[in-house]
Amino acid sequence: MSIKEIKSGTLYKEYAVEIPYEEINVIIDTKINEILPTVSLPGFRKGKAPKNIVRKKYEDNILSEAIEKLVQDKTKDILDKKNLKPFIQPRVDLKKYEKNEPIEVEVKINLEPEIKLKDFKDFEVFNYEINLDKNLLEKNYKDFLHNQKKHTPIKSNREIIKSDKVLVNLSSENEFVPKFLKSQKNLPVFIDSEFQIIPELGLKLMKKKLKKGDKIKIELDVSKALKLDNKKVAEFDVEIVEIEESQPFVVDKDFLEKSGLKNEAELKNNLEKNLKSQYENGLKQIEKKQLMDILDTEHNFDLPEGIVDQEFNEIWHRIENAKKDNSLDDDDKKLSDGELKKRYEKISKRRVKLGILMQYIAKENKLSVDEKELTNGMMAYASQYPGQEKQIIEYFKKNPSSIETIRGPILEEKVINTVISSSKIIKKKLNKEEYEDLEKITFDVKEEK
């Protein structure tokens, strides 16, 4: 066997390995000798078939197993001879295989970084609490009532007004118009809503002073549907099928009974709890991001280059697909390829660094996820898909590797709780405006990327 180092970094080694084919033959012969006593071939008694005939029949079946075993053994030899301590399982790529020719493989080894954890007692972490003032709660309640409004067909044939819901038939002959917009029947359009299939549709219908039964041709900008930066106008045939007017929503006995509520006070209390829960979930993400920033800033160690490259390549593959689909984030669209690569190289390094740190902290503190926690995690995940719980649990059982998507977040939360429990905690109350400012600063895209 010949070994040639073809790439070397602080925590990364790559070797080209050439293995004589004779070593494969040895493994195959050993395996053939093992199965000879059990083989039954036509014209021979069990276990009495000639070795050369048995080899000819079973060699191809044994070959892949033999190569895998040989490569594993040679990889172990490299680690032992070079005194290398891999951080993860070495990656082995079979570069050349031809019968009776030397086998060529590449072995890629990411080495274990040396980490010195800082004392978490020196960390200052914030524990935020949201202050839901009276005005915020009242606005939340009014918004709820507004979103419950109903619409009923108008009695007089009047023009469309801002509070209406309009049913339209929509069609276009322009080739570039997406299929889902080519022909729509009874499409509901809420005139005053910011969320419409074509942003300017409702406003144009109102400005044209249309009535039920009217048919008209309208030019509309479909650039949003096509995910384009520049305006793209298409001509549509529009028919007003029905105009429905808004009816004020009233919290009456019928609504309370259907909602399982005793009175309006309980409705307000539930809405307050839901609103508080939304803010608390947001604050939890802010606290996590701030803690990750501290861990990133306070620790400095070399990263395995191979893992960083792999992480970047996976991200860059998604970026290239997003560019083809014209679905890049708005802030990414403003950057050149060179600037984008710098941005995502930085992100890749941060992700790898924090991933390694989390693993190391878990190991140092003997943190793990037991079977009960995994089962509870799988059940919680499956409960998000009502009616499919059984199929999801079966999928996890048949695909053990997929369980890591459950184990990872559970272990991460344990690590975070361990760090926080040892840190200095600073409690702070926030109002809505302070929360929004903090959220913007914490997750600022330019700063993050």
Side-chain angles (χ1 to χ4, degrees):
M1 177 180 74
S2 69
I3 303 171
K4 182 181 179 182
E5 187 177 276
I6 55 176
K7 192 172 181 181
S8 179
T10 307
L11 291 174
Y12 182 74
K13 302 289 181 183
E14 195 169 316
Y15 298 96
V17 183
E18 190 177 275
I19 307 169
Y21 193 84
E22 288 75 16
E23 295 190 39
I24 286 283
N25 277 328
V26 171
I27 296 175
I28 293 174
D29 281 340
T30 302
K31 190 65 179 178
I32 294 297
N33 289 333
E34 288 176 6
I35 67 173
L36 264 177
T38 63
V39 173
S40 295
L41 293 177
F44 301 97
R45 285 180 296 164
K46 183 179 180 179
K48 298 298 180 182
K51 183 177 176 180
N52 63 323
I53 295 178
V54 174
R55 180 176 178 123
K56 185 175 181 180
K57 180 174 177 61
Y58 291 102
E59 182 176 358
D60 289 343
N61 295 336
I62 296 170
L63 191 58
S64 61
E65 181 185 337
I67 292 175
E68 183 178 352
K69 184 181 184 309
L70 182 63
V71 170
Q72 286 177 352
D73 290 344
K74 297 304 179 185
T75 301
K76 187 177 182 304
D77 289 345
I78 292 173
L79 296 176
D80 293 340
K81 288 179 181 178
K82 303 290 183 181
N83 195 27
L84 300 175
K85 191 175 182 181
F87 179 62
I88 58 174
Q89 186 69 25
R91 179 179 168 184
V92 180
D93 294 331
L94 183 62
K95 290 297 181 181
K96 178 185 175 184
Y97 168 75
E98 291 180 20
K99 200 167 183 180
N100 297 319
E101 292 288 331
I103 299 167
E104 295 179 9
V105 297
E106 283 185 4
V107 181
K108 301 173 182 180
I109 306 168
N110 287 285
L111 304 177
E112 188 172 316
E114 184 179 341
I115 301 173
K116 292 182 180 179
L117 285 180
K118 292 295 180 74
D119 191 340
F120 302 147
K121 292 179 182 178
D122 297 331
F123 291 0
E124 290 185 352
V125 297
F126 283 97
N127 177 234
Y128 297 104
E129 183 181 343
I130 190 71
N131 181 26
L132 301 178
D133 60 54
K134 185 178 178 181
N135 291 334
L136 178 60
L137 294 175
E138 287 180 357
K139 182 180 183 304
N140 182 56
Y141 185 62
K142 287 179 181 178
D143 288 344
F144 170 79
L145 297 180
H146 177 74
N147 291 332
Q148 301 303 311
K149 64 183 178 182
K150 297 179 181 179
H151 290 83
T152 56
I154 57 175
K155 294 177 182 178
S156 60
N157 191 22
R158 61 163 175 78
E159 297 172 356
I160 296 170
I161 60 176
K162 190 175 181 180
S163 59
D164 285 342
K165 169 186 171 184
V166 182
L167 300 179
V168 302
N169 290 337
L170 193 72
S171 63
S172 176
E173 297 297 326
N174 290 103
E175 294 181 0
F176 58 81
V177 172
K179 287 183 180 180
F180 71 92
L181 282 179
K182 281 279 188 182
S183 180
Q184 286 274 0
K185 298 290 184 182
N186 294 314
L187 175 70
V189 179
F190 294 87
I191 303 302
D192 62 352
S193 173
E194 296 178 5
F195 306 100
Q196 296 185 20
I197 193 167
I198 303 176
E200 60 183 352
L201 178 57
L203 184 61
K204 285 205 170 186
L205 294 179
M206 185 176 68
K207 284 184 175 180
K208 293 287 184 182
K209 299 182 179 182
L210 300 176
K211 297 181 179 181
K212 180 179 178 179
D214 285 350
K215 296 180 180 180
I216 192 172
K217 289 184 180 293
I218 300 180
E219 290 188 340
L220 298 168
D221 179 13
V222 294
S223 59
K224 187 174 181 181
L226 293 169
K227 297 179 180 178
L228 298 175
D229 294 328
N230 299 322
K231 192 172 182 178
K232 188 76 171 177
V233 175
E235 186 178 68
F236 285 86
D237 290 309
V238 180
E239 178 185 2
I240 308 302
V241 179
E242 186 68 80
I243 300 175
E244 297 181 359
E245 60 186 353
S246 175
Q247 299 294 326
F249 174 73
V250 179
V251 179
D252 54 19
K253 184 179 178 182
D254 183 52
F255 171 80
L256 291 171
E257 286 179 353
K258 287 180 179 178
S259 304
L261 299 168
K262 295 177 183 178
N263 49 45
E264 188 174 5
E266 186 177 0
L267 170 62
K268 289 183 176 180
N269 186 50
N270 287 350
L271 290 172
E272 181 178 338
K273 286 181 179 178
N274 290 338
L275 182 63
K276 188 172 184 180
S277 177
Q278 291 174 27
Y279 277 109
E280 285 174 345
N281 288 334
L283 289 172
K284 189 175 181 180
Q285 293 305 311
I286 289 172
E287 290 168 357
K288 177 182 173 181
K289 171 64 166 56
Q290 289 181 342
L291 178 62
M292 291 301 171
D293 288 345
I294 293 172
L295 288 171
D296 184 17
T297 303
E298 292 295 326
H299 295 91
N300 187 28
F301 54 90
D302 292 322
L303 302 176
E305 295 95 324
I307 299 178
V308 174
D309 288 345
Q310 185 177 340
E311 178 71 21
F312 172 76
N313 289 335
E314 289 176 3
I315 293 175
W316 192 249
H317 177 70
R318 293 196 293 270
I319 292 296
E320 288 185 321
N321 285 337
K323 287 165 69 177
K324 290 177 184 176
D325 299 337
N326 200 38
S327 58
L328 269 180
D329 292 342
D330 289 339
D331 60 299
D332 282 343
K333 288 180 179 179
K334 301 172 185 176
L335 303 180
S336 66
D337 276 1
E339 291 169 328
L340 271 177
K341 284 185 176 180
K342 284 183 181 179
R343 168 176 282 185
Y344 285 102
E345 281 170 356
K346 183 179 178 181
I347 290 175
S348 300
K349 288 177 181 177
R350 176 184 165 94
R351 287 184 180 179
V352 171
K353 182 180 182 179
L354 290 174
I356 291 173
L357 263 177
M358 300 297 272
Q359 289 181 43
Y360 191 79
I361 295 170
K363 182 181 176 182
E364 289 293 297
N365 289 274
K366 297 181 172 56
L367 302 176
S368 62
V369 180
D370 60 35
E371 288 301 318
K372 183 180 179 182
E373 290 170 324
L374 267 182
T375 300
N376 291 341
M378 284 189 283
M379 295 301 293
Y381 179 83
S383 67
Q384 299 175 38
Y385 303 90
Q388 301 178 52
E389 292 92 341
K390 187 176 180 181
Q391 296 95 310
I392 291 172
I393 296 299
E394 284 299 316
Y395 175 81
F396 280 126
K397 289 179 180 178
K398 292 177 182 178
N399 301 273
S401 61
S402 64
I403 296 177
E404 289 307 310
T405 60
I406 303 296
R407 187 194 309 276
I410 297 174
L411 185 60
E412 182 183 85
E413 187 172 357
K414 285 188 171 188
V415 171
I416 289 172
N417 291 338
T418 297
V419 177
I420 290 175
S421 65
S422 301
S423 304
K424 180 182 177 182
I425 298 174
I426 303 171
K427 291 186 175 293
K428 188 173 183 179
K429 285 191 176 183
L430 303 174
N431 58 33
K432 177 179 175 289
E433 290 72 25
E434 289 170 333
Y435 169 85
E436 289 173 349
D437 289 342
L438 179 62
E439 184 182 44
K440 185 177 181 181
I441 293 169
T442 303
F443 298 106
D444 184 272
V445 175
K446 292 178 183 177
E447 183 179 315
E448 169 71 12
K449 294 182 178 181

